[in-house]
Amino acid sequence: MGHSVVMRTAASELICASRRRVRIPEIASAWKPALDEVWAFLGRNPGLRPPDGHNFFLYHHPTRRDDPMDIDFGVQVSRPFLGEGPISMVATPTGEVASTVHVGPYSGLAQAHKAVHDWCAANNRRVGAASWEIYGDWNEDETELETEVVYLLA
């Protein structure tokens, strides 16, 4: 499937997150324990997550791609809050972004990321200091999963 990339201005969003510092190959083993902490916190704080709040992974790009990166594994929330322990409130960056929507299994997300990088190269734009993924509603049918992939532009 081809990925259509669009440019827009992103507003800041609040997420309830647990931060991890990992290398790219370690993301697969880091996200679930972090999200489990977030969902437990949200369970103790009813009303913080809006009905349409989704899982949200915010990647803080290191200077060198092979270095570990800080990743906020979180969930969209509707209002500011005080964190506790490993849980904190994080505001996403604002500014021009390039984004695409990936429909299908999560194993295909790399293609969506590549599409944004290819778009940047074709349009003489550089990737900025952060990117994020917003995971749509869960569906047992992996062909129906939707994930938005967003890159802040430099």
Side-chain angles (χ1 to χ4, degrees), residues 81-147:
F81 66 94
L82 293 175
E84 66 182 41
I87 303 301
S88 62
M89 181 183 70
V90 176
T92 64
T94 62
E96 276 191 319
V97 298
S99 67
T100 190
V101 175
H102 173 72
V103 178
Y106 298 139
S107 60
L109 276 171
Q111 296 165 347
H113 286 272
K114 182 180 181 323
V116 175
H117 282 272
D118 290 349
W119 180 92
C120 286
N123 290 278
N124 295 316
R125 297 302 302 259
R126 290 183 308 116
V127 167
S131 62
W132 52 94
E133 297 165 341
I134 305 169
Y135 293 82
D137 294 334
W138 173 250
N139 194 313
E140 290 291 332
D141 180 354
E142 287 189 339
T143 65
E144 298 294 320
L145 296 172
E146 290 189 15
T147 309

Side-chain angles (χ1 to χ4, degrees), residues 20-135:
R20 298 291 194 273
R21 184 175 196 80
V22 297
R23 288 186 161 76
I24 292 172
E26 300 166 340
I27 294 170
S29 61
W31 71 265
K32 186 168 180 350
L35 272 186
D36 286 347
E37 291 172 347
V38 170
W39 282 102
F41 177 84
L42 291 173
R44 293 188 305 273
N45 294 274
L48 189 54
R49 176 186 169 259
D52 60 347
H54 291 102
N55 289 341
F56 195 116
F57 295 2
L58 176 59
Y59 302 93
H60 304 272
H61 302 164
T63 304
R64 292 186 314 229
R65 183 170 168 80
D66 292 337
D67 285 349
M69 85 169 83
D70 289 329
I71 305 173
D72 292 309
F73 296 103
V75 175
Q76 295 166 315
V77 294
S78 57
R79 60 181 166 76
F81 66 94
L82 293 175
E84 66 182 41
I87 303 301
S88 62
M89 181 183 70
V90 176
T92 64
T94 62
E96 276 191 319
V97 298
S99 67
T100 190
V101 175
H102 173 72
V103 178
Y106 298 139
S107 60
L109 276 171
Q111 296 165 347
H113 286 272
K114 182 180 181 323
V116 175
H117 282 272
D118 290 349
W119 180 92
C120 286
N123 290 278
N124 295 316
R125 297 302 302 259
R126 290 183 308 116
V127 167
S131 62
W132 52 94
E133 297 165 341
I134 305 169
Y135 293 82

